[in-house]
Amino acid sequence: MADPASLVCVGAVAGGFGVQGEVRLKSFCADPAAIAGYAPLVTEDGRSFGLRITRPLSGAFAARLTGIETREQAEAMKGTRLYVPRDRLPNPGEDEFYHADLIGLAVLDTGGASIGKVKAVLDHGAGDILEITRAGRADLLLPFTRAVVPTVDLPGRRIVVDPPDGSLEGGE
């Protein structure tokens, strides 16, 4: 299996679909259907699956994974995240980032003071949101926009943010 640090999550199984072993597949790719072109996909525990999309669904796809033949097997896959080695993915464009590259980066304000670390990048449809973990304080949610996040320095392993007024208050 590939080094886990070199894998990028491109999708997840949301459950079974139908009675013939298809899965409901949520794609995390910019072009959701592109996930099929990255097969075989691997799981965190090292299993490998070929993938064929059978039809679009609302917000997902019905798909066949190699070796998954029954509804019970498909349902057992629910929650399984699917990965591809980074070297099989295209390089992100200018001002584009793989979410996996942002996780763990130090978060500083525009004055250089530490705020915390990126815990997750959440996608709620209207745009990405950075979830920032802060020592001894509640997690902070900030929109991942150029106005709020003017600098992403991947080589320096840091993000500079200019949070809206009052967003850093509270959460003790």
Side-chain angles (χ1 to χ4, degrees):
M1 180 179 149
D3 171 17
S6 73
L7 297 175
V8 175
C9 183
V10 293
V13 177
F17 182 80
V19 295
Q20 301 293 319
E22 288 176 290
V23 297
R24 181 178 186 85
L25 178 68
K26 176 75 174 155
S27 174
F28 303 146
C29 298
D31 170 9
I35 191 171
Y38 297 125
L41 305 175
V42 297
T43 63
E44 291 171 331
D45 62 5
R47 294 177 291 161
S48 179
F49 294 96
L51 169 72
R52 181 174 56 85
I53 294 174
T54 56
R55 65 183 145 264
L57 303 172
S58 177
F61 294 103
R64 298 293 254 160
L65 296 175
T66 55
I68 304 300
E69 307 287 331
T70 67
R71 176 158 180 85
E72 292 74 26
Q73 289 173 318
E75 281 297 329
M77 294 289 295
K78 184 175 183 174
T80 301
R81 296 173 69 82
L82 301 168
Y83 297 83
V84 66
R86 176 181 299 281
D87 61 7
R88 291 189 18 226
L89 293 171
N91 288 326
E94 187 176 332
D95 289 331
E96 293 182 340
F97 310 95
Y98 287 117
H99 290 183
D101 293 337
L102 302 175
I103 308 300
L105 293 185
V107 179
L108 310 172
D109 68 15
T110 54
S114 177
I115 293 174
K117 289 189 180 233
V118 176
K119 178 179 179 180
V121 182
L122 311 171
D123 178 5
H124 294 286
D128 290 336
I129 297 173
L130 294 178
E131 182 176 4
I132 301 165
T133 186
R134 306 183 292 169
R137 302 182 85 180
D139 288 353
L140 175 66
L141 300 176
L142 293 175
F144 190 37
T145 63
R146 182 171 297 284
V148 176
V149 185
T151 304
V152 176
D153 178 9
L154 291 179
R157 305 274 311 140
R158 69 186 182 103
I159 292 177
V160 176
V161 299
D162 187 8
D165 289 340
S167 62
L168 297 179
E169 316 308 308
E172 304 295 333

